[in-house]
Amino acid sequence: LNDDIFGLLALDAAGESASPEAEGAQAYLIAHQSSNGGWGFATGGNSDSNMTAAAIVALRASGVAGADQTIVKALDYLKTAQNSDGGFTYDPASMYGTASDASSTAWVLWALTSSDVDQSTWVKDAHTPVQYLESTQAADGFFQYQAGSGEDAFSATTTAYAVIALAGKTLPLKVFSGTGQQGGSSTTQTFGFRIEAQISGICVGVAAGPTALDIV
């Protein structure tokens, strides 16, 4: 299911939500939602908050309504992963521990934002997800996986997750189409380019398009 979730999200970001491939991935995800409302890494596996949140984000971006029972059941599952500190654990049924972490909490906030859910209403023992996520920020500015865990090789990624969530954003951050970036100018411009090898030039040319992606 992991590849279907992120494949659908990539198609959403490319402005291809109505493509046959996107519609197929959407239908597959809906058909393989677990009875508890969540999704896991693969069919038949345990549900977890990360894959469930990512599936919600992908399905919402592809046009599934927030009031659709698929989304409603998925949000209900996410509530079972919320701890008394307001944060979320990866798997509420895990034998390896169920402590909250910044990454899982950020992903759930993405799902809430995509579903137009007021994050402040998700309170557990007087604590909100935003409060927990903010508590994991270190004095140096980066976000820790868990409060007090310190900096690690994944801290930059965890920080990126948190920044998106705390800014009230969700994925995809931008949607591109053949006429340009959503919300931006669709005016076609002409750009010159030159490709250089280590010793000599390879080619010089002109490309038309609204973004550098067209040059590529």
Side-chain angles (χ1 to χ4, degrees), residues 50-77:
N50 289 203
M51 289 300 96
T52 301
I56 290 172
V57 168
L59 290 171
R60 288 285 291 135
S62 67
V64 177
D68 189 284
Q69 281 303 299
T70 299
I71 303 300
V72 172
K73 290 191 299 182
L75 291 172
D76 286 342
Y77 167 77

Side-chain angles (χ1 to χ4, degrees), residues 76-94:
D76 286 342
Y77 167 77
L78 288 180
K79 287 180 180 179
T80 70
Q82 188 174 21
N83 289 322
S84 59
D85 56 13
F88 289 82
T89 182
Y90 174 76
D91 178 3
S94 174

Side-chain angles (χ1 to χ4, degrees), residues 67-157:
D68 189 284
Q69 281 303 299
T70 299
I71 303 300
V72 172
K73 290 191 299 182
L75 291 172
D76 286 342
Y77 167 77
L78 288 180
K79 287 180 180 179
T80 70
Q82 188 174 21
N83 289 322
S84 59
D85 56 13
F88 289 82
T89 182
Y90 174 76
D91 178 3
S94 174
M95 67 178 68
Y96 302 105
T98 58
S100 300
D101 67 81
S103 295
S104 298
T105 303
W107 286 38
V108 170
L109 286 172
W110 297 351
L112 298 183
T113 297
S114 73
S115 302
D116 300 319
V117 174
D118 183 354
Q119 301 166 358
S120 66
T121 63
W122 280 44
V123 181
K124 189 74 174 287
D125 291 345
H127 296 98
T128 68
V130 168
Q131 289 173 337
Y132 171 79
L133 190 56
E134 290 176 337
S135 76
T136 65
Q137 187 174 26
D140 290 343
F142 68 88
F143 284 78
Q144 305 166 93
Y145 182 70
Q146 292 172 323
S149 64
E151 190 171 7
D152 56 40
F154 211 63
S155 293
T157 303

